[in-house]
Amino acid sequence: MIKLYIIPFTLILQLNFASDIGLNSYLIFFILVGIDSSHCYSTFFRTLSNTSERSRFKKLHTSIALVIIGLVFLWCYLGIPYFWTFFLYCSFFHYLCQFYRYHQITLAMNPGSSSYAFELVSISSLSFLSYHFRVLNGYEGFFFEDDLFFYPSSVLYNITLGLIGFVLLRSLFRIYFDFKSKRLNFSSLSSFIFPIIIVLNCFNIASSFYQSFLPLIALHGLTYFHMISQSKAKIQKGLWQSKQQQMLALIVVISMIFGLLEYFFTINLVDIFKSEDYAGLVLPCLATVAVTLPSFYHYLADFVLWSPRHPEYSKLITPN
């Protein structure tokens, strides 16, 4: 489980301290295609390869998909601002939900260990909030200078940092007392500590897009593949029990092919403008729909797949 965090932390070191631009280019390509896009397309293996899931997600494959296509197209075609801001907010909410649910899985795998779910959600949310107040000199933003609702304010930023510090201090006290009472499990603790470090790097330390978001994207994608592996191995029989790693590798390879196609489509055919600049332009609007539809599908499907009310996830968070 600790292996999940090797690549994100290597990225932080490489992107912040290494000067080899060529190597950074390969890293960026690997993260965007090999991890981010591929983990997104891997959702289809859960929603389409399982008969019960196909019926459960029937509306997502038909009416909801059409609604998403229509809304994204109209948003861009009518030139309504902040489309990419909305997309980023959806992405962060999706990441936060996944970190929380993965923490729940580690607790179920290690009965008796302490939960740090409150601290995980609180620190992540406060870090994201503080980013809106952070005074960033020369920072280009995720897409544009106004891609988030920035309100640079040293006072508000320091207040949110103080709240983060308070929750972190509370966490340290809890870790100390849990250790003394022998309720501390490193696997469960790591699913709290390492995501927090990467989130804080993303929103409070890094000074460029790639330095901030690539480690977060890498952690999210790798965690997702691990969650799929755990769920398939515990719940489904057949090849998933006897050849777990081979089946996961198959999903990754096939998903990477689709991710590679999306990458070249994005590079060659999609120009990311402010959404108000798409007004009246049919082809850029359609291209934006094509690029973002898999992500919105992934976000909605995951919200259901990793819900406590979902029969498979409920089994995952039931202690062994």
Side-chain angles (χ1 to χ4, degrees):
M1 189 174 297
I2 307 303
K3 297 177 183 178
L4 288 174
Y5 309 110
I6 294 176
I7 291 180
F9 278 98
T10 302
L11 274 171
I12 291 175
L13 295 174
Q14 170 66 25
L15 294 171
N16 282 279
F17 302 109
S19 58
D20 188 341
I21 304 301
L23 179 57
N24 283 348
S25 299
Y26 286 114
L27 282 172
I28 292 169
F29 179 82
F30 171 71
I31 298 303
L32 293 180
V33 176
I35 296 179
D36 186 44
S37 292
S38 62
H39 101 274
C40 183
Y41 284 100
S42 66
T43 307
F44 290 101
F45 284 90
R46 293 205 62 199
T47 57
L48 294 176
S49 64
N50 187 307
T51 305
S52 60
E53 298 293 4
R54 282 200 302 271
S55 59
R56 184 179 289 115
F57 287 94
K58 186 176 181 180
K59 289 185 178 180
L60 182 59
H61 296 146
T62 53
S63 57
I64 296 179
L66 291 174
V67 169
I68 294 173
I69 292 171
L71 286 177
V72 173
F73 180 83
L74 287 175
W75 192 325
C76 296
Y77 188 79
L78 296 176
I80 301 172
Y82 298 117
F83 170 75
W84 293 109
T85 300
F86 174 75
F87 182 75
L88 282 168
Y89 274 74
C90 289
S91 299
F92 177 74
F93 178 74
H94 171 66
Y95 294 170
L96 184 58
C97 286
Q98 190 216 56
F99 293 152
Y100 169 79
R101 289 165 178 170
Y102 182 68
H103 184 61
Q104 296 298 109
I105 292 176
T106 63
L107 293 175
M109 294 170 61
N110 302 279
S113 56
S114 294
S115 170
Y116 295 92
F118 170 79
E119 290 83 356
L120 174 64
V121 173
S122 298
I123 296 174
S124 299
S125 301
L126 286 169
S127 178
F128 182 62
L129 176 63
S130 71
Y131 178 79
H132 297 70
F133 308 131
R134 188 179 171 193
V135 180
L136 300 171
N137 296 321
Y139 182 56
E140 297 178 354
F142 296 112
F143 289 109
F144 314 105
E145 68 277 3
D146 58 350
D147 59 359
L148 292 174
F149 297 115
F150 284 125
Y151 185 77
S153 170
S154 297
V155 174
L156 293 175
Y157 184 66
N158 289 332
I159 290 174
T160 50
L161 284 186
L163 292 173
I164 291 172
F166 173 77
V167 180
L168 281 173
L169 187 62
R170 178 182 185 272
S171 303
L172 291 176
F173 276 109
R174 285 202 58 209
I175 291 171
Y176 172 74
F177 286 110
D178 287 339
F179 176 77
K180 289 191 66 176
S181 60
K182 298 182 179 180
R183 297 182 65 244
L184 192 66
N185 177 273
F186 187 71
S187 294
S188 300
L189 182 64
S190 67
S191 66
F192 157 64
I193 289 180
F194 290 119
I196 286 303
I197 294 174
I198 292 173
V199 167
L200 290 173
N201 172 78
C202 177
F203 298 116
N204 301 103
I205 299 174
S207 57
S208 72
F209 169 77
Y210 289 118
Q211 289 177 354
S212 60
F213 241 69
L214 281 183
L216 187 61
I217 289 173
L219 176 62
H220 170 70
L222 292 170
T223 303
Y224 185 80
F225 283 128
H226 189 258
M227 288 170 70
I228 289 180
S229 177
Q230 290 294 323
S231 64
K232 294 289 187 181
K234 183 173 181 179
I235 297 166
Q236 296 190 7
K237 299 180 180 180
L239 286 175
W240 272 107
Q241 286 187 337
S242 60
K243 298 184 177 181
Q244 178 182 343
Q245 294 183 347
Q246 293 90 329
M247 292 299 293
L248 182 62
L250 178 63
I251 286 181
V252 172
V253 169
I254 296 175
S255 299
M256 281 183 65
I257 293 173
F258 284 99
L260 192 63
L261 293 173
E262 179 189 303
Y263 176 82
F264 285 110
F265 176 79
T266 304
I267 293 296
N268 295 304
L269 298 177
V270 179
D271 291 318
I272 297 180
F273 307 136
K274 295 180 181 180
S275 51
E276 50 265 44
D277 294 336
Y278 288 113
L281 303 175
V282 175
L283 289 179
C285 295
L286 289 175
T288 302
V289 170
V291 168
T292 57
L293 180 61
S295 293
F296 283 125
Y297 176 93
H298 172 67
Y299 297 164
L300 291 172
D302 266 21
F303 191 75
V304 177
L305 287 169
W306 305 109
S307 167
R309 289 177 291 183
H310 188 277
E312 289 193 1
Y313 181 71
S314 63
K315 294 179 182 178
L316 280 177
I317 59 177
T318 301
N320 293 327

